[in-house]
Amino acid sequence: MSTRGYEDELAFERSYVAGLYARLDAERARVKGRYGAALRGNGGTPMERDFEVRALAREVKRLDVADNGLCFGRLDTLSGERSYIGRIGIFDEENEYEPLLLDWRAPASRAFYVATAATPENMRRRRQFHTRGRQVVDFTDEVLGRPDGAERGDAALLAAVDAPRGDGMRDIVATIQAEQDQIIRLDHPGVLVIEGGPGTGKTVVALHRVAYLLYTQRERMERHGVLVVGPNPAFLNHIARVLPSLGESNVVFMTTGDLVPGLRVTAEDTPQAARLKGSLQILDVLAAAIADRQRLPEHPLTIELADVTVRIDAETAQWARDEARASGLAHNPARAVFSEIITYVLTERAIARIGQGWLTRADREAWEQLRADLLVELADNDKFTAALDELWPMLTPEKLLVQLYSSPERLRAAGADEALLRAEDDAWTVSDVPLLDELVDLLGPDKPDDQTAERERKAEAEYAAGVLDVMVSRADMMDDEDHLFAQDLLYAEDLADRFLERDARELVERAAADRDWTYRHVVVDEAQELSAMDWRVLMRRCPGKSFTVVGDLAQRRSVAGATSWDMMLEPYVPGRWVYRSLSVNYRTPAEIMTVAAALLAEFAPGVQPPESVRTCGVQPWSRRVTDDELPTAIKEFVQDEAGREGTSVVIGPPGVPGTVVASETKGLEYDAVLVVAPERIIADGPRGAAELYVALTRATQRLGVLHQASLPQSLSGLAEIGTPARAGNQRSA
């Protein structure tokens, strides 16, 4: 294309994109006006206004995310038709809703990501825009379908991966690669496992898959939302902006430590305790610990009433315990059965003694009146209540675990390992969370008459029935995907979750605060770290078993984590999970990946490292320092990086001032990384090598290593140099 031709094309594209923004602004103003009117409550019933406000609020959010990079590309077909690709769809209402901009998730947009010279998908050209704010700066063209053509122009991709890192993960909507797009659009209703080495983009692919599912299955998924589980709060903060930037907000972000609302994780288990708590064998321990609290009296327990003294003996308690256990109820609700049997026996014995010589069962009215009097007396008798508490106490999950962990006797009775023994306190670890969650179901509510939740649920269903009538009569307010058809079989309870007038909180707030909330889809990142008990919690949170699982078994650090995906998933979704892998490293330059690959070959020789798509021209370096020199060397690195654009981090073993441990950087990326004392990291426990592998693969541009002893053999190829500042500028030959 000549210079003049390019300038003319650029002017045309700028004008077209400016027109899209004009339509976007007009639509924003229109929707916000309607939203403001709906909030003021002008006309209609409360349910009608509630429905309208929620529908318009969703549309406002959808329009607000599109400002940056609204349109990022164009497709030209062999027949000469043009399609523009962007963050949202925009249509010409005056021209039979002709698409002016295709949503990147629409089927017609797929060719933008997968068309190649060899398989052009009926396309002649792909054009990618480079924008700054709302302005198209320039564009690159890729002619498709020619035998001598390139597979795909890499200008946009390389510009994105080479750019300095900011505070959070960026979406890749403009640069999705073919192998990533296939995973994002995969039509699989069960569990999808995405495995990939460092820098392969598995996390951002999983997030884009969520956006795609919410687009294609919105009516099914939006009412209950999506849960994203990550390894630590820093990681969740890093990825939190991706889905909102793609127009999706009904997403809850949690670590496994957040899965029990209101619980704070403040302690850390020993590796042995973490392994024991993460194993499914702990279920037998929990069941035995509960059974141990359902006791028989060693000696009869005396209950003094006004006219008679009765006793709870072992035989009576045995009968009551057997009946309570056979009821199938959780421990706390089953106490009512236990109490009923005990009460029946005691009142029968008391009536027989009190009425001896004058009262028979034939005098039914007098017999029942005496029973009623005795029941009232027992209910007010402190010794009777104390006896029930001793034999069948009401328990909370926290109380049961604290008392179990702090008692060698109770641990032995439950068949538990003494490695679980600790001081009596409520300092919970992340490995305690699935146990506490399990106990919520095993114990049940700790108030026998707690029917509040069920009453609220029925009230919500009644409210939803009214909303259903509103939805049918106001179809003009609904997107196509929300139109109701008879075959949809929407339950009133489901509608109640979506249209709750009594609870003004957003879905995300309600879901995060409700342990019993269930999600339509769950994303699990760094999934190799989750224990078998963690998976039980997550499977309860998603009854439909719709998961996107992201991980890398080679990076597993947890002693209770996954050694194979089959072992973790097959018990829950037999035959319903599929595996996909990502093999291209978009983050880590070849110079750094060569170092990391040598370590990987040493501790996981069967794992193939991902192939880096680029070089950075900066060779990784190492420097040996003494204990006295270490603080200064760290300070020099920090000061040097402060003068550069981008981000940096210092990673070291626990206890080294000025460093973070590698586990806190999992899933994160930095322009520059300094690894301190790799010899100590690799020696720290059975998964030290995996920890070091994580540390080495966080950098996108520059990697330095400070060591105090001899380097591990796998790192012996690092260039030994003088100072970190000088090393940061060492270019490849």
Side-chain angles (χ1 to χ4, degrees), residues 427-492:
W428 301 111
T429 71
V430 71
S431 300
D432 289 325
V433 173
L435 277 62
L436 292 166
D437 190 78
E438 191 81 30
L439 286 169
V440 171
D441 291 337
L442 292 176
L443 294 176
D446 59 348
K447 296 177 182 175
D449 59 347
D450 187 9
Q451 302 298 324
T452 304
E454 183 59 27
R455 288 196 298 270
E456 290 179 352
R457 192 69 178 165
K458 290 180 180 179
E460 290 169 9
E462 293 172 1
Y463 176 77
V467 174
L468 180 59
D469 292 336
V470 173
M471 291 177 69
V472 172
S473 64
R474 291 181 62 84
D476 61 306
M477 277 295 298
M478 292 185 284
D479 295 335
D480 289 342
E481 64 212 12
D482 286 330
H483 284 168
L484 293 175
F485 300 95
Q487 65 266 29
D488 286 346
L489 298 177
L490 296 179
Y491 294 100

Side-chain angles (χ1 to χ4, degrees), residues 265-493:
V265 171
T266 59
E268 186 172 350
D269 276 315
T270 64
Q272 174 68 350
R275 184 185 63 78
L276 292 168
K277 293 178 182 180
S279 167
L280 293 181
Q281 293 175 352
I282 199 70
L283 293 171
D284 294 333
V285 172
L286 297 180
I290 294 172
D292 183 54
R293 306 304 296 272
Q294 302 164 355
R295 310 183 75 91
L296 304 179
E298 295 182 3
H299 306 287
L301 302 177
T302 300
I303 311 296
E304 295 182 358
L305 303 177
D307 299 319
V308 68
T309 297
V310 292
R311 291 175 176 81
I312 304 175
D313 54 35
E315 183 180 7
T316 300
Q318 178 76 58
W319 178 29
R321 187 173 73 174
D322 291 345
E323 290 293 326
R325 289 177 174 176
S327 70
L329 297 172
H331 170 84
N332 288 332
R335 170 169 156 142
V337 178
F338 181 83
S339 175
E340 182 180 359
I341 299 296
I342 296 291
T343 302
Y344 171 80
V345 172
L346 295 188
T347 54
E348 284 293 305
R349 289 175 179 173
I351 292 171
R353 293 176 187 174
I354 294 172
Q356 187 174 6
W358 63 272
L359 180 62
T360 68
R361 288 186 182 276
D363 190 354
R364 182 171 184 146
E365 183 175 346
W367 191 284
E368 292 303 324
Q369 180 59 52
L370 184 54
R371 181 191 297 280
D373 293 341
L374 288 169
L375 288 174
V376 171
E377 192 174 355
L378 279 172
D380 292 336
N381 189 287
D382 291 340
K383 285 192 175 181
F384 179 66
T385 301
L388 290 180
D389 289 341
E390 178 182 342
L391 301 177
W392 197 287
M394 298 294 288
L395 297 169
T396 65
E398 293 83 358
K399 180 179 180 181
L400 179 74
L401 274 193
V402 165
Q403 294 178 348
L404 175 66
Y405 289 158
S406 60
S407 169
E409 294 79 13
R410 285 196 169 115
L411 285 173
R412 283 195 295 271
D417 194 294
E418 289 189 0
L420 299 180
L421 184 65
R422 72 183 195 197
E424 184 172 356
D425 58 33
D426 56 357
W428 301 111
T429 71
V430 71
S431 300
D432 289 325
V433 173
L435 277 62
L436 292 166
D437 190 78
E438 191 81 30
L439 286 169
V440 171
D441 291 337
L442 292 176
L443 294 176
D446 59 348
K447 296 177 182 175
D449 59 347
D450 187 9
Q451 302 298 324
T452 304
E454 183 59 27
R455 288 196 298 270
E456 290 179 352
R457 192 69 178 165
K458 290 180 180 179
E460 290 169 9
E462 293 172 1
Y463 176 77
V467 174
L468 180 59
D469 292 336
V470 173
M471 291 177 69
V472 172
S473 64
R474 291 181 62 84
D476 61 306
M477 277 295 298
M478 292 185 284
D479 295 335
D480 289 342
E481 64 212 12
D482 286 330
H483 284 168
L484 293 175
F485 300 95
Q487 65 266 29
D488 286 346
L489 298 177
L490 296 179
Y491 294 100
E493 288 87 347

Side-chain angles (χ1 to χ4, degrees), residues 157 160-163 165 169-170 180 196-203 235 238 526 552 555 584-590 592-593 610-616 665-671 673 693-702:
L157 172 64
V161 297
D162 278 332
R165 266 47 191 172
M169 179 178 283
R170 296 164 294 189
Q180 297 172 331
T200 53
K202 52 188 178 294
T203 295
F235 173 82
H238 180 64
E526 299 294 342
D552 180 10
Q555 295 187 58
V584 180
N585 189 332
Y586 300 99
R587 176 181 70 212
T588 316
I592 295 175
M593 199 61 217
E611 181 180 355
S612 297
V613 299
R614 67 188 178 98
T615 60
C616 66
T665 67
K666 296 202 78 165
L668 307 182
E669 55 186 35
Y670 305 87
D671 292 273
V673 172
Y693 183 62
V694 170
L696 295 174
T697 54
R698 298 306 95 195
T700 65
Q701 301 290 343
R702 299 176 295 279

